[in-house]
């Protein structure tokens, strides 16, 4: 059947892109005029839909899963921009379907914000879900952390075949208990996990917020995991699955990205195995070794012949791991903090991050609508501060001029990252994500 909503949505998408508008606007339009668009389009996929959600790591993990599945010869639809509301998914679909609304793909792998994932799965029950973690993030939107866990639990409950859980996050691991039934109707559960030697690198929310000297009650015995991250090296990692430990090179930087690679492997193995034709394990590892960072998530650009890295930060755990994964020595550093809706309005989480690793070299520039809040926070950690310019464009230009002969790194919230990429696109090659 021909639906007028598709050509209209495509027209809105084209006009929006010409005017530099947001990537989700066409999806908002099609949601209003054709509420069944997503369900109708995605229900035809042979391997169904996989949802990736959680507080940290959704965009890079989704990118990994997509590239792993493509290495198995599967055609994959995804919301590549990282616009992870339902309207973002609808907008991405408009860019891929033909004029009759038909999508040519084997499977959809979708990154979804925790709250919007609930709305999505009510419309389109996923065949697979991957739930990464539950950490304090945007309390103005989600409320307390147990509310976030409930949102992910709902996603799991709507999943029809396989739920993949982080066994190292107690709130995520406990979701499995809610899925147990007296029948075989519920989804199966797979886990990804860490070697005990790496647990200190990835504290869960309770461990991060524990008072100094206090102890966190021990977690119950952990279930066996489908994929375990055993070791992280400077440019490689060891993963164990099927009783064998394998080593693979890693193009991704950041310890948190390597842990999420274990999650991506678990989900990709489940989906590719469902075809009944077997999984090319060597192909998975080769694909994993080539995955580059998602845009703004450790993305490296070239400015004045030297690297400029963008590191997304949006909550305490993400900022802490970013500082740990990207040492400051030898780099000029800038921090860009906005408080738009997509960033979260409540910036009090900045006080839960320790910035002592920036003390030796200081911070060359601060920008964004909450630049002065960031300046105050750094002063309490005795970190020297350079220029504070709330407007991003002039701040970025001053930062680049002042650090012309040094590699550069910018820690930025989501909307600040988008604004910085737009400015950088005027002076260097920036990947266009549409």
């Amino acid at each position: 059947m021909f639906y007028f909503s598709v050509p209209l949505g495509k027209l809105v998408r084209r006009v929006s892109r010409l005017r530099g508008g947001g990537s989700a606007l066409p999806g908002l339009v099609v949601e209003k005029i054709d509420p069944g668009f997503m369900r109708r389009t995605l229900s035809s996929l042979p391997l169904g839909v996989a949802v990736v959600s959680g507080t940290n790591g959704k965009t890079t993990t989704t990118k990994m899963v997509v590239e792993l599945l493509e290495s198995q010869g599967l055609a994959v639809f995804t919301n590549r921009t990282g616009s992870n509301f339902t309207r973002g998914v609808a907008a991405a679909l408009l860019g891929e379907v033909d004029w009759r609304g038909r999508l040519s793909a084997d499977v959809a792998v979708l990154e979804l914000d925790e709250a919007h994932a609930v709305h999505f799965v009510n419309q389109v029950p996923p065949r697979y879900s991957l739930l990464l973690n539950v950490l304090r993030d945007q309390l103005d939107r989600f409320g307390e952390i147990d509310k976030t866990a409930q949102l992910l639990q709902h996603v799991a409950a709507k999943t029809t075949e396989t739920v993949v859980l982080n066994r190292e996050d107690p709130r995520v691991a406990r979701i499995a208990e809610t899925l147990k039934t007296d029948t075989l109707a519920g989804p199966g559960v797979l886990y990804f996990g860490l070697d005990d030697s790496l647990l200190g690198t990835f504290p869960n929310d309770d461990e991060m917020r524990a008072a100094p000297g206090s102890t966190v009650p021990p977690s119950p015995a952990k279930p066996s995991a489908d994929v375990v991250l055993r070791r992280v090296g400077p440019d490689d990692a060891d993963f164990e699955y099927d009783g064998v430990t394998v080593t693979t090179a890693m193009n991704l930087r950041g310890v948190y990205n390597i842990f999420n690679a274990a999650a991506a492997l678990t989900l990709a193995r489940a989906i590719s195995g469902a075809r009944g034709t077997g999984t090319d394990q060597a192909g998975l590892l080769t694909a994993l070794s080539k995955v580059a960072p998602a845009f703004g998530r450790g993305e490296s650009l070239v400015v004045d012949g030297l690297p400029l890295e963008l590191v997304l930060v949006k909550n305490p755990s993400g900022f802490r791991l970013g500082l740990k994964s990207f040492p400051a020595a030898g780099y000029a550093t800038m921090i860009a903090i906005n408080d738009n809706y997509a960033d979260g309005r409540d910036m009090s989480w900045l006080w839960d991050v320790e910035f002592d690793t920036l003390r030796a070299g200081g911070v060359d520039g601060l920008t964004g609508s909450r630049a002065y809040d960031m300046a105050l926070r750094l002063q309490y950690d005795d970190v020297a501060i350079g220029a504070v310019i709330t407007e991003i464009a002039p701040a970025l230009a001053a930062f680049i001029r002042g650090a012309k002969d040094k590699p550069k790194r910018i820690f930025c919230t989501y909307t600040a990252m988008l604004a910085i990429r737009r400015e950088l696109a005027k002076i260097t090659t920036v990947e266009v994500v549409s």
Side-chain angles (χ1 to χ4, degrees):
M1 182 181 293
F2 184 78
Y3 293 90
F4 77 91
S5 59
V6 173
L8 178 59
K10 282 181 172 288
L11 177 62
V12 172
R13 183 175 185 268
R14 180 172 297 179
V15 173
S16 178
R17 293 184 68 184
L18 289 173
R19 298 184 61 182
S23 62
L25 176 61
L28 180 61
V29 171
V30 80
E31 277 189 332
K32 293 292 185 182
I33 63 175
D34 185 4
F37 169 67
M38 282 194 303
R39 183 183 184 95
R40 186 174 64 248
T41 306
L42 295 173
S43 63
S44 63
L45 300 181
L47 293 175
V49 175
V51 167
V52 179
S53 195
T55 308
N56 280 354
K58 295 184 289 293
T59 300
T60 300
T61 304
T62 300
K63 186 175 189 289
M64 282 190 275
V65 174
V66 169
E67 295 186 26
L68 291 175
L69 291 177
E70 288 176 340
S71 77
Q72 305 297 299
L74 293 173
V76 186
F77 165 74
T78 188
N79 48 335
R80 190 165 173 264
T81 65
S83 180
N84 55 25
F85 294 178
T86 53
R87 58 181 177 267
V89 175
L93 277 170
L94 286 170
E96 297 294 329
V97 297
D98 64 19
W99 288 95
R100 293 183 179 273
R102 294 174 299 197
L103 179 63
S104 178
D106 297 306
V107 63
V109 180
L110 304 174
E111 169 196 350
L112 286 167
D113 160 278
E114 299 95 304
H116 282 263
V118 170
H119 299 297
F120 177 86
V121 301
N122 286 339
Q123 299 178 53
V124 186
R127 186 168 172 179
Y128 305 91
S129 60
L130 167 56
L131 308 179
L132 294 168
N133 42 54
V134 177
L135 298 157
R136 290 174 198 274
D137 178 40
Q138 300 191 27
L139 298 182
D140 53 305
R141 287 182 57 214
F142 295 128
E144 269 303 315
I145 189 170
D146 290 328
K147 172 61 176 176
T148 307
Q150 291 172 7
L151 297 174
L152 295 184
Q153 178 181 322
H154 183 84
V155 174
K158 289 288 186 177
T159 303
T160 62
E161 185 158 321
T162 303
V163 178
V164 178
L165 301 176
N166 178 358
R167 76 171 185 188
E168 314 303 347
D169 186 314
R171 287 179 175 83
V172 172
R174 281 198 295 268
I175 290 174
E177 300 171 6
T178 70
L179 301 176
K180 292 178 180 178
T181 66
D182 295 330
T183 72
L184 299 178
V189 177
L190 296 174
Y191 297 90
F192 64 98
L194 288 169
D195 188 89
D196 288 348
S197 65
L198 296 173
L199 290 174
T201 304
F202 299 92
N204 60 53
D205 193 81
D206 293 332
E207 291 166 340
M208 282 198 303
R209 298 180 65 83
S214 65
T215 58
V216 177
S219 300
K222 295 188 295 188
S224 60
D226 185 73
V227 178
V228 178
L229 174 61
R230 291 296 184 195
R231 181 190 63 87
V232 177
D235 53 11
D236 66 356
D238 291 349
F239 298 93
E240 180 184 335
Y241 54 82
D242 295 338
V244 177
T245 298
V246 296
T247 300
T248 181
M250 295 295 298
N251 192 24
L252 290 168
R253 297 184 61 194
V255 291
Y256 49 90
N257 283 331
I258 310 302
F259 184 30
N260 288 335
L265 276 170
T266 306
L267 179 58
R269 279 161 48 86
I271 295 174
S272 62
R275 295 180 301 174
T277 58
T279 300
D280 176 6
Q281 304 292 347
L284 285 179
L285 292 179
T286 299
L288 185 61
S289 71
K290 296 177 180 178
V291 177
F295 75 103
R297 279 78 171 177
E299 177 183 24
S300 186
L301 309 173
V302 177
V303 175
D304 295 330
L306 292 168
L308 185 152
E309 295 176 343
L310 298 177
V311 182
L312 178 69
V313 295
K314 64 189 187 76
N315 53 44
S317 62
F319 213 149
R320 286 182 181 187
L321 286 170
L323 292 169
K324 184 172 186 176
S325 298
F326 299 91
Y331 278 74
T333 301
M334 181 175 176
I335 302 177
I337 304 293
N338 275 351
D339 64 349
N340 297 317
Y341 177 76
D343 307 297
R345 301 289 191 184
D346 182 359
M347 287 291 132
S348 62
W349 62 264
L350 293 172
W351 293 88
D352 293 327
V353 183
E354 298 165 352
F355 294 96
D356 52 292
T357 57
L358 299 176
R359 194 173 295 149
V363 173
D364 299 80
L366 297 173
T367 189
S369 57
R370 300 298 284 268
Y372 284 98
D373 297 73
M374 189 71 248
L376 178 63
R377 176 67 191 91
L378 292 175
Q379 286 181 345
Y380 272 81
D381 273 3
D382 297 319
V383 177
I385 302 166
V388 181
I389 306 172
T390 56
E391 293 296 321
I392 286 177
L396 178 63
F399 174 60
I400 291 172
R401 285 196 306 271
K404 190 174 183 64
D405 298 323
K406 296 178 68 176
K408 304 163 190 66
R409 182 175 295 124
I410 304 176
F411 296 96
C412 42
T413 58
Y414 182 71
T415 65
M417 178 265 290
L418 295 179
I420 289 168
R421 289 181 96 253
R422 284 195 295 269
E423 292 301 314
L424 290 173
K426 300 173 183 178
I427 60 173
T428 189
T429 301
V430 176
E431 180 189 10
V432 176
V433 180
S434 60

